[in-house]
Amino acid sequence: MENMVAQDERMAEYLEVADEVAAKYAGRRGSVIPVLQQVQERVGYLPPEVMKRIGERLGVPPAQIFGVASFYAQFRMAPVGKYVVKVCHGTACHVQGAGAITDALCDELGVADGATTEDGKFTVESVACLGCCSLAPVIMIEDNTYGRLTPDEARKIVREYGD
Amino acid sequence: MAKTGATVEVTVGLSSCGIAAGAADVFSAFQREFKEKGVDARLRRTGCVGMCYREPIVDVVTSGGAKYTYGELTADRVGRVVEEHVVGGKPVDEWLVRAEGRELPDETYYDQQVRLVLRNAGVIDPESIDEYIDAGGYEALTKVIKEMSPDDVIEELKASGLRGRGGAGFPTGIKWDLAKKAPGEMKYVIVNADEGDPGAFMDRSILEGDPHSVLEGLAIAAYTIGAQEGYFYVRAEYPLAIKRLRIAIEDATERGFVGENILGSGFSFKVHIKEGAGAFVCGEETALIASIEGQRGMPRLRPPYPAVKGLWAKPTNNNNVETYANIPWIISNGAAAYAAYGTESSKGTKVFALAGKITRGGLVEVPMGLTIRQVIDEVGGGVPEGRSFKAVQLGGPSGGCVPVEFMDIPIDYESITKTGAIMGSGGMVVMDDSTCMVDIARFFLHFTQDESCGKCTFCRVGTKRMLEILERITAGEGREGDIELLEELGEKIISSSLCGLGQSAPNPVLTTIKYFRDEYEAHINEKRCPALSCKALITYDIDPDKCIGCTVCAKKCPVGAITGERKEAHTIDQDLCTKCDACRQACKFDAVTVR
Ligand SMILES: Cc1cc2nc3c(=O)[nH]c(=O)nc-3n(C[C@H](O)[C@H](O)[C@H](O)COP(=O)(O)O)c2cc1C
Ligand code: FES
């Protein structure tokens, strides 16, 4: 029961974020994507209720909001871990052994690629290119990029975040 | 920057690649050292000089003006550089990679380079408009506004021979002319900074290293075609580029280079930044426009071209980051000076991002017409020792793999297209004998299949079928006829897709089949991967003659597949082995073999 109250409270908070961000963009053309980006930045993902609210506030049909959100890889429909470990699988990283980095990280954290650890701490995610190709293979956690990695070094890095 | 004052100047390269290698810590270490030791030296920040393989990079310019460049200068080395060089005046020789008057190996990295687009990258502080102006920045915009008509600008661009650097190589002067002539009160200009090629970082480095050059080029375009508003469409994965661009726009607005009534001319121009949301197809200009408008990024049929009907259905000019960065240089130095570089059909320079199996991976700018070999071997230092060059991938998912036979062709749009690859935006990923070409084809198809927007059936379903076949081949389950099926599907996808994504998606497969058919055949007929890369087709063993039983591999193995008594030869349980390669990397006696 208490849990549900907490959930409702959290959702109320999310909706407030949606209201606040949408208000900044009211009446401006082409604002769906920036609003979704900023809301996700603060909420962590885009629950259906929140997308519906954004649609109402911007005067855009919810179907269109869902359509946009589902088109772009950046938008998430489910919550993610505290740290999202982005493993680059761009061309340069691929030829320099990105596969082994993902394998090592998934093994270290005990999750599948794309999944979140049970404690909600880490999500392992494959991304296309982090733009540091000459330091391949590369991973990024929050705004920190780590390059020239070996599988062991990648393990060490996530261990540091885990502590 | 030329040194004028009497103090020593220390410059740290703070671009994304530098920071990934620890440059931010290096910067703080210098700050701390200077403060603690009361050192009277100036600490500066700059962008990427292109020697990514040496990051973190630090320049020390002495009070006499001599410049010394340190490579791989990690934070723990800062103390010694401060003490011996900054204070003591004696360079730390063993960490130097470039210095005037000395013959250091990295000097040759720049021998073939001509840095027009990258003129300021790694030189000026990208967050300082004053340093940009001191380096001649905004002179071109001033000249255009005060002395040139829009038609003068277009004539100059046509004479320069500049072609779009976003991949297709459309002549920029003609493009601007179309947008200028298109009727309409309201017009737009767009910078395509979506940089979708996964393995390329030219545009990121330009924006991080010299954002004003792109902004100045954009403002010149706006003046020329008569646009009132401009958009930078930047990949969301490039936070630092976005940050520096924001600073550049604010500063340029404050100084009156963009905004209301620019330089008192009555011409006003407003600039916005739009962050991409992770869709490769949004690099295609009509999809990009749909995305700025807040819609799903679906390409539409052209014509009408954006020059006539673009953003919000108004005439719009869209160019790549590098294209714009060329403009101020051309205006300031003249079309003839630009056209003096390059070949008959491809003028000027091109920036390339060298990565993959290459000794000196980084960002280089060379005149068109240099051969691929010169770029890879002479500039990039070739593949690392002990390996042999196999192919270079140009043009990313729309491009192809160019084999060693074509290493001596000149870099120009037409010659590269003849190989089946494309110039593309400038990504060059080098591959050696350990790279499996079938796997590379599978890798790109996985990418394009994932990124297909789904509008065209052949692109959506066809790429999926091709991917399934490639997955089957690399898993050792290839069948006779698979190669022919891939070729047939590829040709159909090319001919029946609406946008460049589908029209080029089969290229990486078709070029690898063309040049490396034997590798496909080995996978299919012999169930063998010649590069020893496809996991399903290789086995790991321990050579009992070489193994001394040190147990290191057994400890490393994450799945416990290796057993054996201490001081006795170990063995691998093939059922458990995941072929992660950890044992081979750990073994100091080369006892782990791969077949
Ligand atoms: C699937 C696809 C992806 C593209 N991605 C990019 C890109 O990331 N950056 C870019 O400048 N051009 C990209 N282009 C090319 C653009 O459509 C357009 O031709 C280019 O931005 C024009 O600029 P330019 O004339 O300066 O080359 C892409 C095209 C296609 C078909
Ligand atoms: S390919 Fe990994 S950073 Fe570009």
Side-chain angles (χ1 to χ4, degrees):
Chain A
M1 193 54 210
E2 202 182 16
N3 210 349
M4 277 184 59
V5 173
Q7 265 180 20
D8 284 350
E9 268 176 24
R10 197 156 359 113
M11 188 51 69
E13 215 178 282
Y14 293 168
L15 292 173
E16 237 170 74
V17 171
D19 288 342
E20 197 187 305
V21 175
K24 274 200 309 195
Y25 283 84
R28 276 171 46 190
R29 285 185 304 185
S31 49
V32 173
I33 295 170
V35 170
L36 290 175
Q37 283 170 330
Q38 287 178 32
V39 171
Q40 176 168 292
E41 172 86 30
R42 288 169 58 183
V43 172
Y45 73 111
L46 297 170
E49 297 90 328
V50 168
M51 285 196 271
K52 215 171 130 231
R53 177 66 68 87
I54 292 173
E56 284 162 17
R57 292 289 183 259
L58 294 177
V60 175
Q64 198 178 323
I65 304 275
F66 288 112
V68 169
S70 60
F71 183 85
Y72 295 98
Q74 188 185 32
F75 298 122
R76 305 193 181 99
M77 306 300 157
V80 281
K82 181 168 176 220
Y83 299 111
V84 179
V85 185
K86 295 182 181 166
V87 185
C88 179
H89 282 261
T91 319
C93 290
H94 179 76
V95 304
Q96 299 281 54
I101 303 288
T102 292
D103 290 350
L105 288 173
C106 289
D107 178 64
E108 177 72 31
L109 298 169
V111 285
D113 187 14
T116 303
T117 53
E118 254 169 46
D119 61 3
K121 213 151 193 188
F122 292 99
T123 302
V124 179
E125 198 176 82
S126 291
V127 298
C129 171
L130 295 167
C132 291
C133 323
S134 45
L135 299 182
V138 176
I139 67 170
M140 189 171 175
I141 304 175
E142 298 189 303
D143 272 347
N144 303 315
T145 311
Y146 304 88
R148 295 179 189 138
L149 294 175
T150 62
D152 278 347
E153 281 161 6
R155 283 174 195 264
K156 235 181 269 161
I157 290 166
V158 294
R159 257 177 238 152
E160 275 166 27
Y161 278 86
D163 297 341
Chain B
M1 287 265 87
K3 259 282 306 159
T4 42
T7 44
V8 177
E9 204 172 74
V10 174
T11 307
V12 183
L14 286 170
S15 55
S16 290
C17 39
I19 293 169
D25 295 339
V26 173
F27 193 85
S28 337
F30 272 110
Q31 254 173 341
R32 212 173 34 242
E33 287 278 327
F34 286 178
K35 202 166 158 220
E36 276 172 15
K37 303 202 170 128
V39 178
D40 176 29
R42 192 166 155 237
L43 187 59
R44 295 174 68 240
R45 140 182 7 91
T46 189
C48 171
V49 275
M51 289 198 283
C52 307
Y53 61 102
R54 287 292 192 204
E55 294 286 1
I57 295 168
V58 171
D59 283 339
V60 174
V61 178
T62 62
S63 47
K67 181 167 147 186
Y68 298 83
T69 303
Y70 290 99
E72 286 142 283
L73 197 87
T74 39
D76 53 319
R77 296 179 164 183
V78 167
R80 212 178 130 195
V81 170
V82 171
E83 195 177 313
E84 294 180 21
H85 195 179
V86 179
V87 177
K90 205 179 153 301
V92 185
D93 289 347
E94 68 252 47
W95 298 333
L96 279 180
V97 294
R98 278 186 91 194
E100 276 154 43
R102 299 200 193 190
E103 290 205 2
L104 292 165
D106 278 4
E107 213 59 53
T108 57
Y109 188 64
Y110 291 95
D111 281 354
Q112 306 270 16
Q113 294 200 48
V114 174
R115 293 168 79 92
L116 312 184
V117 168
L118 303 177
R119 56 195 177 274
N120 293 324
V123 182
I124 66 167
D125 176 350
E127 296 183 19
S128 159
I129 190 170
D130 287 320
E131 290 200 13
Y132 181 68
I133 292 171
D134 283 346
Y138 291 110
E139 264 170 24
L141 178 66
T142 310
K143 179 171 166 189
V144 162
I145 288 182
K146 301 229 153 113
E147 299 166 25
M148 293 172 85
S149 72
D151 284 327
D152 292 340
V153 177
I154 287 168
E155 283 319 306
E156 196 70 15
L157 284 191
K158 283 184 181 166
S160 75
L162 176 65
R163 295 171 66 171
R165 302 297 191 230
F170 191 82
T172 309
I174 297 178
K175 197 184 240 188
W176 289 22
D177 202 16
L178 291 172
K180 180 192 166 263
K181 288 197 177 120
E185 284 291 299
M186 191 68 203
K187 294 185 186 180
Y188 296 96
V189 282
I190 296 174
V191 180
N192 189 341
D194 201 38
E195 192 146 68
D197 176 356
F201 51 93
M202 301 75 50
D203 298 346
R204 172 185 68 69
S205 299
I206 295 169
L207 289 174
E208 284 179 4
D210 194 16
H212 283 286
S213 67
V214 186
L215 181 59
E216 184 177 1
L218 184 70
I220 293 172
Y223 169 82
T224 306
I225 73 154
Q228 295 89 335
E229 280 185 51
Y231 286 87
F232 280 86
Y233 189 88
V234 193
R235 280 189 80 186
E237 288 86 348
Y238 290 176
L240 185 62
I242 293 170
K243 178 186 157 213
R244 292 195 173 149
L245 202 47
R246 284 227 159 85
I247 297 174
I249 294 170
E250 263 171 40
D251 290 349
T253 311
E254 196 178 295
R255 300 293 176 91
F257 295 118
V258 298
E260 296 295 320
N261 190 18
I262 297 171
L263 303 170
S265 63
F267 160 59
S268 298
F269 173 57
K270 200 166 172 220
V271 190
H272 314 270
I273 298 176
K274 284 273 176 179
E275 283 182 41
F280 170 67
V281 75
C282 285
E284 195 280 335
E285 55 187 14
T286 61
L288 186 153
I289 287 170
S291 182
I292 293 181
E293 291 172 348
Q295 304 167 32
R296 291 162 72 92
M298 300 276 220
R300 63 156 177 79
L301 207 58
R302 300 176 308 177
Y305 284 92
V308 178
K309 199 171 174 203
L311 185 58
W312 319 113
K314 304 285 188 240
T316 301
N317 180 69
N318 162 54
N319 281 119
N320 169 263
V321 168
E322 186 183 335
T323 312
Y324 282 117
N326 271 297
I327 308 283
W329 193 94
I330 293 172
I331 299 291
S332 294
N333 298 275
Y338 191 77
Y341 296 108
T343 67
E344 194 50 41
S345 68
S346 305
K347 299 293 185 198
T349 60
K350 179 77 198 82
V351 179
F352 288 101
L354 300 181
K357 311 280 189 175
I358 187 151
T359 311
R360 303 201 285 210
L363 196 73
V364 306
E365 182 175 357
V366 295
M368 295 272 193
L370 228 61
T371 65
I372 297 179
R373 187 189 302 281
Q374 281 174 305
V375 174
I376 291 176
D377 285 355
E378 292 174 26
V379 181
V383 296
E385 270 209 33
R387 286 287 172 189
S388 60
F389 173 89
K390 187 187 269 184
V392 57
Q393 213 285 337
L394 302 177
S398 310
C401 292
V402 179
V404 69
E405 300 94 276
F406 293 105
M407 285 288 277
D408 292 308
I409 63 157
I411 293 174
D412 66 58
Y413 289 93
E414 286 69 25
S415 304
I416 293 179
T417 304
K418 263 189 233 146
T419 67
I422 56 166
M423 173 84 77
S425 54
M428 270 197 184
V429 182
V430 178
M431 296 163 185
D432 66 15
D433 53 340
S434 69
T435 317
C436 169
M437 302 316 278
V438 188
D439 176 65
I440 288 297
R442 184 201 57 78
F443 165 81
F444 278 115
L445 251 285
H446 175 79
F447 180 86
T448 36
Q449 189 270 325
D450 209 36
E451 295 291 343
S452 166
C453 78
K455 190 165 176 167
C456 308
T457 316
F458 261 97
C459 177
R460 183 183 67 241
V461 183
T463 54
K464 180 114 185 109
R465 289 294 96 81
M466 284 182 86
L467 176 61
E468 284 165 5
I469 298 170
L470 289 162
E471 280 176 342
R472 178 160 92 207
I473 299 176
T474 51
E477 287 154 18
R479 307 171 197 152
E480 212 188 304
D482 273 351
I483 300 179
E484 292 72 19
L485 196 54
L486 284 171
E487 288 174 325
E488 190 191 331
L489 275 168
E491 270 142 36
K492 293 233 167 82
I493 295 169
I494 290 174
S495 63
S496 41
S497 297
L498 180 152
C499 89
L501 190 149
Q503 287 163 5
S504 62
N507 284 355
V509 184
L510 298 179
T511 55
T512 47
I513 293 180
K514 188 165 160 199
Y515 300 122
F516 302 96
R517 201 180 183 101
D518 54 332
E519 282 195 40
Y520 281 81
E521 284 166 353
H523 281 75
I524 297 171
N525 303 334
E526 303 162 37
K527 308 293 175 226
R528 180 172 70 82
C529 173
L532 301 174
S533 144
C534 294
K535 283 190 182 177
L537 301 176
I538 54 174
T539 6
Y540 281 77
D541 280 306
I542 294 173
D543 182 343
D545 295 335
K546 284 188 180 166
C547 177
I548 63 148
C550 72
T551 76
V552 164
C553 61
K555 286 194 196 107
K556 271 277 163 196
C557 179
V559 291
I562 304 181
T563 47
E565 294 299 316
R566 174 169 276 281
K567 299 203 172 151
E568 276 172 36
H570 284 45
T571 52
I572 300 178
D573 182 337
Q574 298 300 338
D575 292 335
L576 291 178
C577 176
T578 60
K579 297 156 191 174
C580 70
D581 206 45
C583 53
R584 194 191 57 81
Q585 289 174 29
C587 182
K588 291 196 181 71
F589 307 95
D590 278 337
V592 180
T593 59
V594 189
R595 272 184 298 128

